């Protein structure tokens, strides 16, 4: 039996950032979610929020996105702000 798909809105998260590939038109979007323990996951909204990268730290996730030429959209949404 397969497990249900992860719902990012229901998972425990501390912050979310939007990253884009500005070379595409319209830009391709990925979401970086960090949890309170410090690990991060990158989700692809175009692929039903499939996890495309997981890391133990924010720096690892940021490096992965920058290596693939993604750029962060200014600002970060914190779970505590909602």
């Amino acid at each position: 039996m397969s497990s249900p798909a992860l719902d990012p809105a229901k998972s425990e998260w501390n912050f979310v950032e939007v990253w884009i590939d500005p070379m595409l038109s319209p830009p391709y979007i990925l979401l970086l979610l960090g949890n309170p323990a410090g690990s991060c996951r990158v989700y692809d909204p175009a692929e039903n929020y499939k996890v495309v990268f997981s890391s133990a730290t924010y720096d690892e996730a940021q490096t992965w996105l920058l290596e693939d030429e993604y750029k962060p959209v200014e600002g970060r949404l914190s779970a505590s702000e909602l």
Side-chain angles (χ1 to χ4, degrees):
M1 177 182 242
S2 64
S3 59
L6 175 65
D7 182 352
K10 292 181 181 176
S11 65
E12 188 175 314
W13 59 280
N14 194 36
F15 68 87
V16 63
E17 294 178 349
V18 177
W19 288 68
I20 63 169
D21 181 345
M23 301 303 291
L24 299 175
S25 182
Y28 200 84
I29 296 172
L30 294 177
L31 300 176
L32 170 62
L33 273 73
N35 71 24
S39 64
C40 294
R41 289 186 177 178
V42 178
Y43 293 89
D44 186 344
E47 297 289 330
N48 200 28
Y49 293 92
K50 174 184 168 187
V51 175
V52 294
F53 185 78
S54 294
S55 66
T57 67
Y58 175 80
D59 288 338
E60 290 174 9
Q62 181 184 39
T63 299
W64 183 81
L65 287 161
L66 291 170
E67 285 176 352
D68 283 350
E69 300 184 7
Y70 281 84
K71 306 287 184 206
V73 172
E74 190 171 325
R76 175 187 276 188
L77 178 62
S78 175
S80 64
E81 296 173 339
L82 298 178

